[in-house]
């Protein structure tokens, strides 16, 4: 994945999930039936909750080579 596309995706994830701003993702290439390449980016971070507790968050992003986000999912 080229650095410009990765930067574009990182900015979008940072806007949607501020606690993950500046986190570098793990990137895995996925093959699709129509021979287009998609990338799975996995972000790991944690958010501060009221009362001093922390919430671990994992965000998975599926994107194409141009940096267009196809799908975002999150878990806690």
């Amino acid at each position: 994945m080229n650095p410009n596309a990765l930067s574009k995706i990182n900015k979008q994830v940072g806007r949607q999930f501020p606690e993950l701003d500046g986190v570098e993702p793990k990137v895995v290439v996925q093959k699709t039936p129509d021979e287009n390449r998609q990338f799975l980016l996995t972000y790991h971070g944690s958010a501060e909750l009221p009362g001093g507790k922390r919430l671990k968050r994992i965000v998975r992003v599926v994107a194409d080579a141009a940096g267009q986000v196809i799908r975002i999912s999150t878990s806690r």
Side-chain angles (χ1 to χ4, degrees):
M1 173 170 267
N2 72 33
N4 291 336
L6 183 59
S7 175
K8 181 179 173 183
I9 296 167
N10 286 342
K11 285 180 186 176
Q12 184 173 347
V13 170
R15 280 193 306 268
Q16 194 166 352
F17 304 99
E19 67 273 9
L20 297 176
D21 193 23
V23 173
E24 286 298 315
K26 177 183 173 190
V27 180
V28 177
V29 178
Q30 293 183 325
K31 293 185 181 180
T32 60
D34 56 358
E35 296 299 321
N36 290 332
R37 289 191 336 173
Q38 292 182 346
F39 297 89
L40 172 65
L41 294 85
T42 307
Y43 297 82
H44 293 270
S46 61
E48 184 80 26
L49 297 176
K53 295 186 179 181
R54 300 199 60 80
L55 174 69
K56 211 165 109 175
R57 175 170 284 186
I58 299 170
V59 174
R60 293 169 43 106
V61 178
V62 177
D64 64 10
Q68 290 294 108
V69 173
I70 298 168
R71 180 176 42 248
I72 295 179
S73 64
T74 183
S75 64
R76 296 182 260 191

